[in-house]
Amino acid sequence: MSFTIYPAIDMRDGKCVRLEQGDFDKETVYGENPFEVAKEFVDAGASWIHMVDLDGAKQGSKQNAEHVLRVAKELGCRVQIGGGIRSEEDVRFYLDAGVDRVIIGSLAVRDVETTKQLLSKYGERIAIGLDARDGFVSTAGWLEQSEVKAVDLGKDLASAGAKTFIYTDIAKDGMLSGPNTKEIVRLAEETGVDVIASGGIKGLDDLNELKEYKDRNVIGSIVGKALYTNQFTLKEALNVEVD
C-alpha cells in the first residue's frame, strides 16, 4: 500500500490561509492566490492537492469554487475538495468539473441516509471528513459540536460503502504539535477503511511515523502549516511518500 502526501490549501475570501484549531479569529494569510500556491506545489512534485473552502464550510454553500475548478482544469494534478458541500448537487458540480474527490463532513453527521446514498452512487470519489474534538465530530466549519463519536460514525459509513476517511484532530490542527496518531490508527483499524491523517504535522518524523501504519490502512497525510512555515519542504515530504 502506498502513502501519499496531500499539500493543503485552505481558502477564505479568495486567499490561501491557515487557522489555528479551526478558529476563524486566528487566521494567517499565506497567499493571495490559491491557484499560484497550488502551482508551486505541483511544480514541486505534488500529485494531489487538498483544498478546503472555509467560507463554504461556515456558510453551508460553495464560496471559493472558481479557485478549485481552475486548479483541477489547468494543473494536471488530482484534487480533493471539502467545505460547503451539503447536497448531491454540490457533489455533482465538482465531480463533473474534473475534481477527483469530494469530501463530505457536516452532511455526514446531519443526514446520514443521504450520505449513504451518495456513497452508493459515487463510491470512491466521496471521502468522509471526520473532524473531531475530544473524539466527537464537529460540523459547520468546526463551529458546532455534535454528540456523534468519530469512530462510531466511521463504522456506520464504512458498512455503507465509504472507502476513504480524512481524520482531523481539531485540537492539533494548525498547532505544529504532532498528529493524533493513536486515534488515526484506531479509526483505520476499527473501520477497516483507508484513512488520511490531518492536523498537527510538524516535521518529517511525524510523516515517517504515520507511514509505518500504511499497511494498517493509514494511506497518507495532509500537510499544511508545516509547509507554509518552512518546517520542511514539499520535496522532502514527497520523499517520505516514496516506498
Side-chain angles (χ1 to χ4, degrees), residues 41-226:
F41 288 150
V42 173
D43 288 346
S47 59
W48 276 92
I49 302 292
H50 172 82
M51 304 187 78
V52 179
D53 183 348
L54 292 174
D55 299 303
K58 188 176 183 179
Q59 298 180 35
S61 61
K62 302 183 297 296
Q63 300 296 316
N64 289 279
E66 67 272 20
H67 304 293
V68 181
L69 300 191
R70 187 181 178 199
V71 170
K73 290 177 179 177
E74 297 185 27
L75 292 183
C77 59
R78 304 183 75 183
V79 175
Q80 61 183 22
I81 173 65
I85 298 166
R86 300 289 194 269
S87 67
E88 182 174 0
E89 180 183 4
D90 293 334
V91 171
R92 284 201 314 268
F93 171 85
Y94 282 119
L95 296 183
D96 289 348
V99 171
D100 292 273
R101 185 186 290 151
V102 171
I103 304 163
I104 293 175
S106 297
L107 181 65
V109 177
R110 295 173 177 171
D111 192 340
V112 175
E113 290 310 310
T114 294
T115 301
K116 290 179 177 179
Q117 291 170 14
L118 292 172
L119 287 169
S120 176
K121 187 169 184 177
Y122 296 101
E124 63 185 15
R125 299 192 73 186
I126 298 285
I128 303 297
L130 297 176
D131 304 330
R133 197 188 304 273
D134 298 323
F136 292 87
V137 178
S138 292
T139 62
W142 301 351
L143 297 175
E144 298 176 11
Q145 185 79 2
S146 78
E147 297 181 355
V148 179
K149 290 185 177 180
V151 170
D152 290 343
L153 180 59
K155 288 179 178 179
D156 187 24
L157 294 177
S159 67
K163 303 296 184 185
T164 306
F165 292 121
I166 297 173
Y167 182 87
T168 304
D169 185 327
I170 295 170
K172 297 282 188 179
D173 194 69
M175 301 305 293
L176 299 176
S177 58
N180 189 341
T181 303
K182 179 180 177 180
E183 286 302 308
I184 292 163
V185 174
R186 179 186 172 210
L187 177 67
E189 291 183 336
E190 293 200 21
T191 63
V193 170
D194 291 346
V195 174
I196 299 170
S198 176
I201 299 297
K202 67 181 184 303
L204 296 175
D205 288 347
D206 294 326
L207 297 176
N208 280 308
E209 178 187 13
L210 289 168
K211 187 181 177 183
E212 292 180 6
Y213 297 97
K214 66 185 179 69
D215 293 330
R216 292 159 70 179
N217 300 321
V218 179
I219 65 163
S221 178
I222 293 165
V223 184
K225 190 173 184 178

Side-chain angles (χ1 to χ4, degrees), residues 17-36:
V17 308
R18 299 300 297 174
L19 307 180
E20 291 185 9
Q21 298 178 322
D23 189 337
F24 282 81
D25 293 325
K26 296 180 179 179
E27 173 191 274
T28 303
V29 176
Y30 286 104
E32 297 292 325
N33 187 326
F35 178 83
E36 294 302 326

